[in-house]
Amino acid sequence: MPELSHRRRMLVLAICCMSLLIVSLDNTVLNVALPSMQKELHASVAGLQWTIDAYTLVLASLLMLAGSTADRIGRRRVFQAGLVLFTLGSLLCSLAPNLESLVAFRMVQAVGGSMLNPVAMSIITNTFTAPRERARAIGVWGGVVGISMAAGPLIGGLLVDSVGWRSIFWINLPIGIAALILTWRYVPESRAPKPRRPDPVGQLLVIGVLGALTYAIIEAPSAGLTSPLIVSFAAVAVLSLAGLLLYEPRRPEPLIDLRFFRSAPFSGATVIAICAFAALGGFLFLNTLYLQNVRGLSALHAGLYMLPMAAMTFLCAPLSGRLVGSRGPRLSLLIAGAAMTASGVLFAAFDAEATTTLMFSGYVLFGLGFGMVNAPITNTAVSGMPRSQAGVAAAVASTSRQIGQTLGVAVIGAVLAGGTVGAVASTSSTSYETGFMEASHPAWWIITACGLCVLLVGALTSGAWARGTAHRTAKRLEPAAGDSEAAPDAPVQKSAGTSADA
């Protein structure tokens, strides 16, 4: 297929960014709507956790499967299927009659979402073949996350206050339909020259680990830690993990190549992604409920209160990208870990919620830290990896982000539910406020620990010793001479309108 024109490449980038926007916006908008959902659907704290975790759990479980399937049967085809499912899931969520239906429809959304971001990234890397142009395109792609962080709370608050929480899902419909039509018209089809073989057993084991662990954490406060149900799900999680560790090394093309973890930068990036996004998930969950249920703010005012965090994330994300490009990931990781830790300490030790100035300071620090951490995660994950394995390494990093957010909401929500169980049953607003504030202290210490882990692991896995382990791991993973590692992905001439702008 002839080289695409500059205009056509920019259009492909815009289409891919549209998919990222609706997926990223969906989570930030949803957090602002949680208290309204809680009142209308009579949901418990665990129910609110499931509206978030049902999505991130399915997303984390299917990201790698979606990426390998797209390489095998066609990226545009899978991307279009993802847009259809995500848009349909959004429509169903807006019509959900009860909490159980909403959780189920969120899972439909997640199946579609798993086909969007990793596949869109593959489309971008195969559309922009020049290294400098590709780096700029990925920079634009990353900036969309910052836009969604900044715009999400405001858009969500405005919609919830003016129309209702169901309207937060409507904004996905026109964007999803437009992206679907534009994808059919302008995005060329492509496949990998040597796609990875499917690994259904590994996929089921991953679902078993994540699903059983998340269920056990979320339901433990109400069922009890020693109840047969919780013990059974915990056992399923442990057995699934053991099966994964025993089964995957025996496969020639495993879903997760455990040899990757011999690279300190890769292992560090995985841990950092889980900790940073666990902190984010817990931070948003805590603050949304606090601002609306304790302080009594409207959804819009709650969104405005959290604007300092979103603005700092938006400003620091591109700065971090430039720092990583010029000086490596170490400085960005250290700044991120220090800022997130300081933010957590303000809330855990100094009751920042009680003073608006301190609370805003905590928001600014957390936004600074989270804005700095995202760029070095992927860079650190693929550091030293051979080109044939870089895509898989990046996919594991993306999966780790979703696992972190899932666990963050599950753990923080469980701590909160355990501490407020008596207060929630009370009709006294004072009782609820007291119970919430007492329960939030251990939750804030958990978020502080996540920030400290980012700082320490970032320092440990970004130095000379860590780079040496990455180099040795890359040698073990390097394919034999004559392999198709360096072969470009094979385009398939199936795009309607391909010849129009090429």
Side-chain angles (χ1 to χ4, degrees):
M1 186 177 70
E3 181 78 16
L4 297 181
S5 67
H6 177 74
R7 172 179 171 270
R8 180 72 171 276
R9 292 197 299 274
M10 291 299 106
L11 188 55
V12 170
L13 175 61
I15 294 167
C16 290
C17 286
M18 288 169 70
S19 74
L20 177 63
L21 180 64
I22 56 176
V23 171
S24 301
L25 202 61
D26 193 72
N27 269 335
T28 53
V29 167
L30 179 69
N31 270 280
V32 178
L34 287 177
S36 297
M37 290 180 178
Q38 185 178 31
K39 291 173 185 175
E40 182 174 330
L41 301 178
H42 309 290
S44 62
V45 173
L48 296 182
Q49 289 172 271
W50 278 118
T51 62
I52 298 174
D53 275 358
Y55 180 87
T56 56
L57 180 62
V58 173
L59 199 65
S61 301
L62 299 182
L63 275 172
M64 296 188 69
L65 175 64
S68 60
T69 302
D71 288 343
R72 190 163 51 254
I73 70 173
R75 296 187 179 102
R76 189 186 71 161
R77 181 180 299 176
V78 172
F79 188 69
Q80 287 176 305
L83 286 168
V84 170
L85 279 173
F86 190 86
T87 306
L88 176 62
S90 299
L91 177 61
L92 292 173
C93 286
S94 72
L95 302 173
N98 51 50
L99 182 68
E100 292 77 14
S101 300
L102 178 61
V103 170
F105 297 150
R106 286 282 288 165
M107 295 172 75
V108 174
Q109 262 193 314
V111 174
S114 71
M115 302 179 189
L116 296 180
N117 289 0
V119 180
M121 179 57 74
S122 293
I123 291 172
I124 289 173
T125 56
N126 285 282
T127 300
F128 296 88
T129 53
R132 180 171 295 183
E133 193 177 38
R134 179 183 294 178
R136 289 174 181 167
I138 293 175
V140 172
W141 164 269
V144 173
V145 177
I147 293 172
S148 70
M149 285 286 294
L154 292 178
I155 294 174
L158 186 62
L159 288 173
V160 170
D161 280 355
S162 59
V163 184
W165 67 264
R166 296 178 186 275
S167 63
I168 66 173
F169 297 106
W170 297 344
I171 58 178
N172 297 331
L173 305 184
I175 300 175
I177 292 170
L180 179 64
I181 295 171
L182 291 170
T183 300
W184 171 79
R185 177 70 177 83
Y186 293 109
V187 176
E189 184 63 285
S190 66
R191 300 189 183 103
K194 190 181 177 184
R196 297 168 65 83
R197 285 181 287 182
D199 181 7
V201 175
Q203 185 64 56
L204 287 173
L205 289 171
V206 168
I207 293 172
V209 173
L210 298 179
L213 179 62
T214 303
Y215 185 92
I217 294 172
I218 290 178
E219 299 298 333
S222 57
L225 279 173
T226 57
S227 70
L229 182 67
I230 300 303
V231 171
S232 298
F233 273 90
V236 170
V238 172
L239 291 174
S240 297
L241 178 59
L244 197 66
L245 295 175
L246 292 172
Y247 175 76
E248 288 297 285
R250 301 173 185 271
R251 282 186 55 83
E253 291 185 355
L255 182 71
I256 302 174
D257 194 332
L258 299 180
R259 294 177 298 171
F260 283 10
F261 292 96
R262 296 175 183 174
S263 164
F266 178 84
S267 297
T270 303
V271 173
I272 290 167
I274 291 173
C275 290
F277 278 77
L280 174 69
F283 188 95
L284 293 176
F285 192 81
L286 272 177
N287 277 286
T288 297
L289 294 180
Y290 169 75
L291 290 173
Q292 295 186 57
N293 287 352
V294 177
R295 282 212 173 190
L297 299 178
S298 67
L300 178 58
H301 286 154
L304 289 170
Y305 263 63
M306 296 184 71
L307 190 57
M309 184 202 77
M312 287 302 295
T313 300
F314 177 71
L315 293 172
C316 291
L319 174 61
S320 177
R322 286 195 291 271
L323 275 176
V324 171
S326 61
R327 303 186 59 177
R330 188 178 183 86
L331 182 59
S332 289
L333 289 173
L334 295 180
I335 294 172
M340 293 173 78
T341 303
S343 174
V345 168
L346 277 181
F347 287 97
F350 297 99
D351 293 326
E353 303 104 314
T355 308
T356 301
T357 304
L358 269 184
M359 185 171 68
F360 281 163
S361 299
Y363 287 174
V364 167
L365 283 170
F366 193 89
L368 166 64
F370 189 75
M372 296 298 290
V373 80
N374 212 14
I377 288 175
T378 302
N379 177 278
T380 308
V382 302
S383 175
M385 290 287 180
R387 282 186 299 165
S388 60
Q389 305 291 346
V392 181
V396 174
S398 296
T399 302
S400 300
R401 291 180 175 97
Q402 300 303 326
I403 292 172
Q405 193 162 354
T406 302
L407 293 178
V409 173
V411 172
I412 297 299
V415 170
L416 195 63
T420 59
V421 67
V424 170
S426 172
T427 56
S428 168
S429 59
T430 304
S431 174
Y432 178 84
E433 180 178 346
T434 302
F436 189 98
M437 296 300 290
E438 289 178 356
S440 67
H441 276 94
W444 280 116
W445 281 119
I446 293 172
I447 292 173
T448 303
C450 287
L452 187 60
C453 187
V454 171
L455 176 64
L456 296 178
V457 175
L460 181 65
T461 60
S462 58
W465 166 80
R467 288 193 295 272
T469 66
H471 181 69
R472 291 190 293 273
T473 301
K475 280 188 173 181
R476 296 188 186 100
L477 295 171
E478 195 74 41
D483 202 345
S484 59
E485 174 209 0
D489 283 1
V492 180
Q493 188 79 288
K494 287 188 178 180
S495 174
T498 292
S499 60
D501 296 299

